[in-house]
Amino acid sequence: MRALEKELQQLRDQQAAQESASLSSQAVDVKGAKLLVSELSNVEPKMLRTMVDDLKNQLGSAVIVLATVSDGKVSLIAGVTKDLTDRVKAGELIAGLAQQVGGKGGGRPDMAQAGGTDVTALKGALASVEAWVSSHL
């Protein structure tokens, strides 16, 4: 049983890495930094952290916001590369997004997570990210 769980986790990690590779091409340029905002389906909330780390390595100077809906709940994660944390703080960004989806969140300047219950507000919340990031860069 333990071996199967380990193999399943490895497969999930591989899937996350593949998703990250395809997502990096969707990043847009905002004032010289890359911005990637994406809602993912069929991704476990705990895989988001791995994906953000992969994407930060791939994109260089970037702000990344990923979201997924699982069991009727929204999971959000924001990642900011070290060179931008003096201007864009992941904790502040995620707190604003969490309020929009009826939840709470927080974290460090380079990585923050949140959850919420208002799935219908997710698209609007993600749409607000570019303006927020642009105003802070």
Side-chain angles (χ1 to χ4, degrees):
M1 186 73 151
R2 209 170 256 167
L4 285 174
E5 287 175 1
K6 191 173 181 179
E7 185 179 340
L8 182 59
Q9 188 58 46
Q10 288 174 334
L11 290 171
R12 286 182 179 143
D13 289 344
Q14 287 174 354
Q15 178 191 5
Q18 289 171 347
E19 290 250 6
S20 299
S22 66
L23 278 175
S24 64
S25 64
Q26 297 175 18
V28 295
D29 191 271
V30 176
K31 295 187 178 178
K34 296 245 191 307
L35 172 64
L36 177 63
V37 180
S38 185
E39 180 182 352
L40 306 168
S41 55
N42 301 321
V43 175
E44 288 186 40
K46 58 186 171 186
M47 296 305 298
L48 295 177
R49 181 181 293 256
T50 305
M51 293 177 75
V52 166
D53 287 337
D54 289 347
L55 287 162
K56 285 202 293 193
N57 291 334
Q58 291 172 29
L59 296 172
S61 183
V63 177
I64 300 153
V65 176
L66 300 179
T68 190
V69 176
S70 178
D71 298 325
K73 293 190 173 125
V74 176
S75 294
L76 294 158
I77 189 164
V80 179
T81 53
K82 296 264 188 241
D83 62 316
L84 299 175
T85 54
D86 59 330
R87 295 173 284 167
V88 178
K89 306 230 181 312
E92 293 174 11
L93 172 57
I94 210 76
L97 292 174
Q99 284 181 340
Q100 293 180 58
V101 295
K104 292 183 182 176
R108 303 182 316 266
D110 65 326
M111 178 85 73
Q113 292 181 282
T117 55
D118 189 355
V119 175
T120 59
L122 180 58
K123 292 226 185 301
L126 293 178
S128 71
V129 172
E130 187 169 349
W132 190 93
V133 170
S134 181
S135 72
H136 286 74
L137 284 175

